Amino acid sequence: MTDATTTSTDGIPTEPAPVDLLVVGAHPDDAEYGMGGTLMRHHHAGHRIGVVDLTRGELGTKGSPQQRADEARAAAALYGASFRHGLDLGDNRVTSAPATVEMLAAVIRAAQPTLVCTHLSEDRHPDHRTAADLVRRAVFAAALASLELTIDGDVVGHHVADGLLHFPTDRVIDGDVLVDVSDVWDARLDTMRAFGSQFTAPTAAIDHTLYGIDDYLEVAATRARAHGQRIGVRYAEAFTSDRGLAADDLVALVRR
Ligand SMILES: [Zn+2]
């Protein structure tokens, strides 16, 4: 890392700054593909959002790392991200080794999020599975007051995030909490369309997997419709929580 004011050419800062919601994705586009509607909705609510991409996605079937980085920043601009930071851990090589945990924990301390979101442990991609474990460990490490961590030689004080949620990218889940994203659905699709190299039409089968914007959008919509049905809305995004989610008022919780 360099200094905290470093910005990319399109104005999205690349170094962590204090946010309310921090998303950690294994590859550029995972944050948007998994919870783009939730990001748009929380942006509209005035929350500060930060994104950490664990890898550059350099082993992806389509798009160069530079293309994907440019697309990721363009997507982040749609939901007003305070920063988008890359750790470059190596595509398909993400581990939750102690040094990596502490590297991410230092970023979490600098970002001071109330809520952290990352992958579901059951996702198919090994990097997604590892990310779930890595982020869980890093959130825990970030909160340890006796663990000294630094960024560029500067000590970053411990930080306790209030919640850690996990989102799926390849399945429908029951979910512990579901977010209605019906009102931001078109904008949510735009966060995916920003990744032109990944979701380029027309859809074609590559190594037995369908690639193409129409297919990705259809899959995203189908999943969101299934999640939406569970809470009686058109589109929703689902999350699991590591902890129980507290409520002060059950009537207010269920009122529509
Ligand atoms: Zn991914």
Side-chain angles (χ1 to χ4, degrees):
M1 290 180 211
T2 53
D3 72 74
T5 58
T6 302
T7 57
S8 59
T9 52
D10 48 19
I12 301 291
T14 56
E15 298 305 318
V19 293
D20 303 298
L21 192 169
L22 179 68
V23 192
V24 182
H27 312 102
D29 76 18
D30 280 333
E32 289 78 6
Y33 193 55
M35 52 177 288
T38 302
L39 292 172
M40 290 305 307
R41 184 162 177 173
H42 285 70
H43 168 52
H44 291 322
H47 291 300
R48 301 165 299 171
I49 297 168
V51 184
V52 174
D53 299 313
L54 296 177
T55 78
R56 297 182 300 142
E58 66 270 23
L59 297 182
T61 307
K62 290 185 170 187
S64 69
Q66 186 56 52
Q67 263 182 307
R68 298 189 71 170
D70 292 344
E71 292 167 353
R73 285 194 299 274
L78 296 175
Y79 49 86
S82 298
F83 70 88
R84 186 157 200 149
H85 182 73
L87 284 183
D88 196 11
L89 298 179
D91 198 353
N92 207 39
R93 301 182 66 182
V94 175
T95 73
S96 54
T100 307
V101 169
E102 294 188 2
M103 184 191 308
L104 180 57
V107 172
I108 291 171
R109 288 184 176 186
Q112 302 170 27
T114 302
L115 169 64
V116 180
C117 297
T118 191
H119 293 282
L120 189 72
S121 300
E122 292 77 16
D123 252 18
R124 170 178 166 271
H125 197 301
D127 281 348
H128 293 196
R129 290 177 175 237
T130 307
D133 180 53
L134 168 62
V135 175
R136 189 177 282 122
R137 290 174 181 274
V139 166
F140 195 86
L144 297 175
S146 57
L147 175 64
E148 182 174 300
L149 296 174
T150 61
I151 293 181
D152 295 334
D154 296 326
V155 173
V156 276
H158 79 288
H159 173 75
V160 180
D162 288 333
L164 171 60
L165 299 179
H166 302 265
F167 57 81
T169 62
D170 63 8
R171 66 197 61 211
V172 173
I173 61 172
D174 284 347
D176 297 319
V177 59
L178 295 102
V179 180
D180 180 0
V181 295
S182 308
D183 289 347
V184 294
W185 188 248
D186 287 342
R188 181 266 184 281
L189 295 183
D190 285 342
T191 69
M192 289 176 61
R193 292 189 182 102
F195 292 88
S197 72
Q198 301 306 297
F199 307 132
T200 308
T203 296
I206 301 174
D207 294 339
H208 311 293
T209 300
L210 284 173
Y211 287 89
I213 184 66
D214 42 351
D215 188 64
Y216 274 92
L217 296 183
E218 183 178 339
V219 168
T222 302
R223 188 167 57 235
R225 284 286 286 131
H227 287 145
Q229 186 181 31
R230 286 182 41 74
I231 56 171
V233 304
R234 187 158 181 79
Y235 295 114
E237 290 171 351
F239 300 82
T240 63
S241 175
D242 280 16
R243 308 181 61 174
L245 296 169
D248 293 326
D249 184 332
L250 291 178
V251 174
L253 180 67
V254 302
R255 179 178 288 136
R256 303 286 314 170

